Amino acid sequence: MAGAADTAPLLRIETGTHTASIRSLAVDADGQIMLTASDDKTARLWRLSDGQPIGVLRPPIGPGNEGKLYAAALTPQGDLAALGGWSADNDVYIFRRDSGAMLLRLGGMPNAINRLAFSPDGKMLAVALWGGHGIRVYTSRNGWSSASLLGEDSAYEGDSYSVSFSPDGRRLVSTAYDGFIRLYELTSTGLRPIAKSHVSGGQHPYAARFSPDGKLLAVGFEDNGRVAVVRADDLTPAYAPDISGITGGNLASVAWSRDGRTLYAAGTWRNKTAEHGLRRWEDGGRGAFTDTAVASDSVTDLAALPDQRVVFTATDASWGIVDTRGVIKLRQNAPLADFRANWTGFGMQPSRHAVGFAYAFGGRFPALFDLDNQVLVTSERPLPAPAAMSKSIEVSNWKDSLQPMINGQAVALEPGEMSVAMAVAASGDAAALGSNWFVRLFDARGREVWRTATPGPCWAVAFDTSDPAKPWVVAALGDGTIRWYRRHDGVEQLALFPHADRQRWVMWTPDGRFSASTGGDRLIGWHVNRGADQAAEFLPVARFSERYFNPAAIAAVLSPPIRPPASPPPETADIRKGIRLPPKVTLLTPDSGKSAKSGRVRLEIVADDRGSGVDEIRLYHNGKIVADTPLTKTTRTASQGHVVKIYDVPLEAGKNQFRALALGVDRTESEAVERAIEYAVSDQRVRLHVLVVGINSYRNAVLNLSFSVPDAQGVAKFFRNNFGHLFKEVNVDEIYNLDATQANIRLRLKALREARPEDVVVIYLAGHGETLNEDWMFIPYDLVTPEHPEALQHGGISSRELAEAVKSIPAQKLMIMIDACKSGAATVGFRGLEERRSLAQLSRSTGTHMIAATTKDQPASELDTLGHGVFTYTLLEGLMGKAGSGERDVTARKLMVFVEKAMPELTRRYRSEEQYPVVSSNGMDFPLALH
């Protein structure tokens, strides 16, 4: 089987909601759970009481249209979900709702599936098919572990888009593009046609739904804005609801309230741009109507809830609930940037290597992404206009056009393809055209050079000539991404997804390398098919961080460094060639939610190989990694495929959250499992342990600095003076200059093992830093020649060594602060991205908070004016209250947010360029200061 059975991983956006048109919805009989199916190739389960997501169902998918879901159905009990759409074998998939496991695949349908419906008793499933193949009804006697065909009608002359059972389950109605509505009786031997009729109101009936008493049918049409109500016994007309004011679009979707007193309809009809409406009629469609604007694009489906409310879905990937007064009580929008109608605001910025875009329709909420520093900058004002386009190539009639023109000649598009964006290179030798399906490049004579299919409409397009040796075509797409295509052949090389929260982002190459903001590594992942009869698996890229998080490699795609790093990281395999699934982890003990009677707990973790081996098991306690002790026991089978690890862990007062995971040999993480244990003891104020290291004077005087010691002393002074406000006791350990040898730093790190689990530990390092292979290295006083890799390897303090030291510290609340300056000639080509990889890995692997600045110089003006370097000055300003945002406490995360925002402004003032800290937040949040 081609397509869906392919095992090649596919990179997908994952925001926790749909990211493309929602085609269908289904609700359980109690109105508690909703299922939605989307063009984004996922089905999602929602809790309707508060709109929260409760599950994702993932059938097999493939490239292009393969895997798009058009139909969804829930059994009345809500225990089983049926899905269908476009697949190689035209499959219907039946999933267990609670586990997400695939229970059954019904294959071999003659064409794509447009609609699914379970009978009121959940024992029959009706299927509406595309391409004139009619409908089928399946039945099951064993809870859908297997199924048989009850009956079918293939004598259709057009696509069928609707099937619906009567409330008593004895009849079935369908619609088709041949203009007919068909009514069937369901018998033990199959389908018996009762009536077939052209219903007055339109040529293409789309949806037909029984009234709650089964006496009437409401029919919506695809080709106009009418709704017809007919008698359910013979399909003869009953009445036509008032459609006054509907002058365009359709009311294809219809629904009755559960009591039958209200009729709802919606579709492509809109009152004005981006305001698609829901019309509700009183008296079952005979009475007065009210209209509510519900979505920015067409409404695709409706369903009534038991409390007389109605839920809708739309092509803008939104859904919501409307109450009996026509008020939207709950709405779930797609968290995607909307690049539409921003043709002049999108493109490369003239003053810096950055791409400018906007988050909202029409260029509202502008922002730019700095490609050299990999930082997102939002703006309240319009951005500077991108470089002007050349007028040597004339592109006309391109807005929402089926026939755009280049130099007066029509461009041949595919049937149904529409151009929506264009750009002309400043050099005048090329033009780019964006459509709903492709990005196309044309030469100066209007001849097509290449075309590349896009995962969403191309709402804006531009040229990137920041590096004349590597020109690009840049496109802003309907899936919320900005993508770079090589100008000479149109092959995609880089993508950026800026989340609509205007904070998180992720950037990646097609082979799997990526860079991301805090939390951005959860926004994309790899979809892995596991065969046609199993649910697929989704692995967020966060689980590949150890090998594939590589900011420097991402930057090098567009702008190679002046010279390659002395010790480049090892090459990584192209993930598209295959993924060996990481281990499966089970936490056998303890049970979740229980209270502990003693101050220790025994945790037994099992990891089973699923293809990548079991290389390591990790346990995190309140976010911080738990180090192995003499009490930790590990047992492996001879084949290494089954590993058991037992921890004996001291508990902290209150809630103790445990998270266990395993890593395969390729260092890909498993899905984590969690347990929560309460330990009720009298809560006492905790102790603070601070280790401060500052080096101005090195044994090699060439390395001497001016900032490190006053910066370190400022941090030590702040925490020492915090005694009594927040902590029961504050222990500050300071080592400076000639005392800061490799041996002494190691000794002081080891002394932190005396901290208790409930304590807080802060480690501050100020001095020189350097990168070596995949490590960041802190340079102690006694390292004389850090420019020599062997000397650096043996004489430095590596990020790996720091990680091992941190693991051995019992305290669960730990923050590392680093203010490091690059040494000597290593600043050539410096961008600060090499350090980001190793420092972020240190934070992630240990479950600690990391905030660091690695700079290439230290202007004396900073010390004279601020009394400190910019990073430490900003750090202290935050600790002294500015990071509290009006609240008394300054927590680790508040401090990180403050420094991340304030530091670029100060560095621009004192260094004439913006500098951005490395910020990595892992583990639980905790207070550092109280004012």
Side-chain angles (χ1 to χ4, degrees):
M1 172 183 168
D6 292 345
T7 57
L10 296 167
L11 196 68
R12 309 294 296 171
I13 294 171
E14 177 51 64
T15 63
T17 66
H18 287 300
T19 57
S21 174
I22 303 175
R23 294 295 195 102
S24 179
L25 74 89
V27 177
D28 70 338
D30 293 334
Q32 300 297 310
I33 298 166
M34 179 174 69
L35 171 69
T36 52
S38 170
D39 280 354
D40 68 10
K41 305 183 182 182
T42 68
R44 296 179 185 268
L45 292 152
W46 311 87
R47 188 171 58 224
L48 289 173
S49 60
D50 57 7
Q52 290 300 302
I54 56 174
V56 183
L57 305 180
R58 299 184 187 274
I61 68 171
N65 289 326
E66 184 77 30
K68 288 184 176 180
L69 296 175
Y70 305 150
L74 271 178
T75 55
Q77 301 83 3
D79 58 336
L80 299 178
L83 302 170
W86 185 302
S87 62
D89 270 2
N90 304 312
D91 300 303
V92 173
Y93 306 100
I94 297 179
F95 286 80
R96 295 188 187 278
R97 195 246 322 158
D98 54 357
S99 67
M102 189 185 298
L103 180 63
L104 177 65
R105 178 176 66 93
L106 298 173
M109 306 288 173
N111 217 314
I113 289 86
N114 285 332
R115 190 78 185 184
L116 295 166
F118 276 110
S119 60
D121 63 3
K123 295 181 179 180
M124 291 182 285
L125 178 66
V127 183
L129 298 167
W130 191 76
H133 293 282
I135 66 168
R136 293 185 175 189
V137 177
Y138 290 85
T139 185
S140 176
R141 297 181 179 180
N142 57 8
W144 295 98
S145 294
S146 63
S148 58
L149 181 64
L150 177 66
E152 64 179 314
D153 183 355
S154 59
Y156 282 49
E157 299 297 326
D159 308 334
S160 177
Y161 283 94
S162 178
V163 281
S164 182
F165 287 93
S166 63
D168 61 8
R170 297 178 180 179
R171 289 170 295 164
L172 182 74
V173 66
S174 71
T175 64
Y177 263 33
D178 59 10
F180 285 104
I181 295 176
R182 294 167 170 85
L183 186 66
Y184 303 89
E185 180 185 12
L186 295 157
T187 69
S188 59
T189 58
L191 293 172
R192 186 179 72 83
I194 299 174
K196 174 181 174 182
S197 175
H198 280 288
V199 174
S200 176
Q203 297 299 311
H204 299 303
Y206 187 85
R209 301 288 181 266
F210 283 95
S211 61
D213 61 8
K215 295 180 179 180
L216 298 171
L217 281 163
V219 182
F221 296 88
E222 188 275 337
D223 55 321
N224 62 50
R226 297 178 180 274
V227 172
V229 178
V230 300
R231 296 178 180 87
D233 54 356
D234 58 6
L235 305 182
T236 57
Y239 53 89
D242 186 352
I243 58 168
S244 300
I246 297 177
T247 57
N250 67 41
L251 295 175
S253 296
V254 294
W256 300 85
S257 63
R258 293 285 181 100
D259 62 7
R261 295 178 181 177
T262 306
L263 180 63
Y264 300 93
T268 62
W269 163 64
R270 63 187 183 187
N271 281 321
K272 56 183 179 181
T273 301
E275 288 193 8
H276 289 255
L278 169 72
R279 176 159 290 192
R280 54 188 298 272
W281 293 272
E282 303 298 331
D283 195 17
R286 300 179 185 87
F289 65 82
T290 56
D291 296 333
T292 302
V294 295
S296 66
D297 212 334
S298 303
V299 176
T300 55
D301 207 357
L302 300 169
L305 301 178
D307 56 6
Q308 313 312 317
R309 298 184 300 169
V310 65
V311 60
F312 68 87
T313 55
T315 56
D316 62 6
S318 72
W319 67 267
I321 296 176
V322 181
D323 70 10
T324 56
R325 297 173 297 150
V327 177
I328 299 176
K329 303 301 292 184
L330 191 154
R331 183 197 296 275
Q332 179 73 255
N333 292 317
L336 306 180
D338 186 346
F339 301 129
R340 293 177 296 169
N342 187 33
W343 302 285
T344 59
F346 174 75
M348 304 305 297
Q349 291 290 291
S351 59
R352 61 198 296 183
H353 190 207
V355 60
F357 62 96
Y359 279 98
F361 184 91
R364 293 183 297 117
F365 306 123
L368 61 84
F369 189 84
D370 185 318
L371 295 159
D372 286 336
N373 293 295
Q374 293 180 9
V375 66
L376 181 65
V377 182
T378 58
S379 174
E380 299 300 325
R381 295 172 294 181
L383 300 175
M389 297 184 189
S390 171
K391 296 182 179 180
S392 60
I393 300 177
E394 180 186 3
V395 182
S396 59
N397 193 39
W398 58 269
K399 283 188 179 180
D400 300 329
S401 174
L402 298 173
Q403 194 172 59
M405 312 280 285
I406 295 182
N407 294 334
Q409 299 295 316
V411 175
L413 302 181
E414 294 291 323
E417 184 184 2
M418 178 182 294
S419 65
V420 292
M422 76 90 184
V424 177
S427 57
D429 60 348
L433 197 68
S435 76
N436 51 339
W437 296 337
F438 298 100
V439 173
R440 299 171 182 263
L441 184 73
F442 300 86
D443 63 18
R445 302 170 75 177
R447 296 175 298 190
E448 184 173 287
V449 179
W450 51 259
R451 69 173 184 179
T452 299
T454 56
C458 178
W459 296 125
V461 65
F463 287 88
D464 179 0
T465 55
S466 305
D467 181 356
K470 297 178 71 176
W472 305 88
V473 174
V474 191
L477 306 182
D479 65 349
T481 64
I482 298 171
R483 301 187 186 234
W484 279 258
Y485 302 90
R486 286 194 308 230
R487 179 169 158 174
H488 71 275
D489 62 4
V491 175
E492 180 188 328
Q493 296 293 288
L494 192 66
L496 166 68
F497 177 68
H499 191 278
D501 62 11
R502 293 191 280 170
Q503 296 179 5
R504 289 176 291 166
W505 58 267
V506 60
M507 205 171 193
W508 68 93
T509 56
D511 63 6
R513 293 169 295 166
F514 71 95
S515 181
S517 65
T518 300
D521 54 6
R522 295 281 172 182
L523 296 176
I524 61 170
W526 292 96
H527 174 108
V528 182
N529 292 324
R530 299 193 300 156
D533 297 297
Q534 292 191 71
E537 189 153 343
F538 182 80
L539 307 177
V541 295
R543 290 162 62 176
F544 298 83
S545 291
E546 191 165 319
R547 292 274 178 95
Y548 289 88
F549 177 74
N550 197 334
I554 294 297
V557 173
L558 298 179
S559 181
I562 296 173
R563 74 178 197 185
S567 302
E571 292 186 4
T572 52
D574 188 334
I575 290 184
R576 293 170 297 182
K577 295 181 179 179
I579 290 175
R580 292 184 297 174
L581 291 176
K584 178 179 175 58
V585 171
T586 306
L587 191 52
L588 296 182
T589 59
D591 294 332
S592 188
K594 289 192 174 181
S595 297
K597 296 180 180 179
S598 69
R600 304 189 72 87
V601 67
R602 179 180 182 273
L603 296 104
E604 185 175 352
I605 304 165
V606 176
D608 290 299
D609 179 24
R610 296 195 302 158
S612 64
V614 181
D615 192 49
E616 179 185 356
I617 291 177
R618 289 180 183 172
L619 177 67
Y620 294 84
H621 182 191
N622 289 336
K624 165 75 164 44
I625 196 165
V626 177
D628 289 354
T629 70
L631 296 176
T632 306
K633 298 178 181 179
T634 303
T635 304
R636 291 177 177 265
T637 61
S639 65
Q640 308 294 301
H642 181 80
V643 181
V644 179
K645 193 169 186 178
I646 299 173
Y647 290 86
D648 184 83
V649 182
L651 295 173
E652 185 179 353
K655 186 175 182 179
N656 292 260
Q657 190 73 36
F658 292 98
R659 182 168 62 93
L661 58 85
L663 289 87
V665 174
D666 59 6
R667 307 303 292 171
T668 302
E669 294 179 8
S670 71
E671 183 176 2
V673 294
E674 297 187 355
R675 290 287 189 275
I677 300 293
E678 291 284 342
Y679 181 46
V681 296
S682 57
D683 194 8
Q684 299 177 348
R685 285 187 299 163
V686 301
R687 292 175 171 83
L688 171 66
H689 305 266
V690 182
L691 171 61
V692 169
V693 180
I695 311 175
N696 274 358
S697 301
Y698 280 85
R699 178 171 290 173
N700 180 353
V702 174
L703 300 174
N704 286 356
L705 298 168
S706 301
F707 283 73
S708 299
V709 170
D711 284 351
Q713 290 172 336
V715 172
K717 180 180 178 181
F718 171 82
F719 283 114
R720 189 182 297 110
N721 292 341
N722 211 21
F723 182 87
H725 291 288
L726 181 63
F727 302 104
K728 179 180 180 180
E729 183 181 313
V730 177
N731 301 309
V732 180
D733 188 6
E734 303 171 68
I735 48 176
Y736 301 116
N737 295 327
L738 58 86
D739 291 327
T741 61
Q742 183 192 55
N744 205 14
I745 293 173
R746 286 173 170 171
L747 185 65
R748 304 302 178 89
L749 286 169
K750 186 176 182 180
L752 291 173
R753 297 179 186 178
E754 299 300 317
R756 300 175 306 178
E758 63 268 24
D759 289 348
V760 173
V761 171
V762 174
I763 299 172
Y764 177 91
L765 305 177
H768 278 298
E770 189 54 83
T771 52
L772 180 67
N773 298 324
E774 294 188 281
D775 274 337
W776 176 83
M777 311 289 292
F778 183 70
I779 299 175
Y781 164 82
D782 50 343
L783 177 53
V784 177
T785 55
E787 68 274 16
H788 295 155
E790 288 187 4
L792 183 61
Q793 179 75 51
H794 291 96
I797 303 288
S798 72
S799 54
R800 292 176 188 263
E801 183 177 347
L802 278 173
E804 290 304 315
V806 165
K807 289 178 184 179
S808 299
I809 298 171
Q812 295 160 14
K813 309 177 187 76
L814 197 149
M815 188 168 197
I816 301 174
M817 305 171 180
I818 297 175
D819 194 350
C821 181
K822 276 279 191 175
S823 59
T827 61
V828 176
F830 174 73
R831 289 191 289 201
L833 299 178
E834 296 83 359
E835 287 81 359
R836 190 178 298 180
R837 170 182 168 86
S838 50
L839 292 177
Q841 179 58 31
L842 164 61
S843 168
R844 179 179 173 82
S845 65
T846 58
T848 58
H849 299 285
M850 162 73 68
I851 184 166
T854 55
T855 61
K856 60 184 177 182
D857 52 25
Q858 294 181 316
S861 60
E862 293 180 26
L863 188 59
D864 294 339
T865 306
L866 302 175
H868 294 285
V870 167
F871 172 69
T872 300
Y873 175 83
T874 309
L875 202 65
L876 290 171
E877 286 283 287
L879 285 168
M880 287 187 286
K882 288 188 176 180
S885 302
E887 298 177 341
R888 292 186 61 204
D889 66 326
V890 175
T891 68
R893 288 202 176 103
K894 287 180 183 178
L895 180 63
M896 296 166 81
V897 169
F898 173 78
V899 174
E900 197 170 22
K901 290 183 178 179
M903 188 174 168
E905 298 176 6
L906 276 176
T907 51
R908 184 169 60 246
R909 184 185 311 168
Y910 288 97
R911 301 180 182 176
S912 300
E913 63 178 0
E914 294 173 339
Q915 179 190 343
Y916 300 91
V918 176
V919 173
S920 183
S921 180
N922 292 278
M924 65 189 299
D925 198 12
F926 54 88
L928 290 165
L930 186 65
H931 300 282

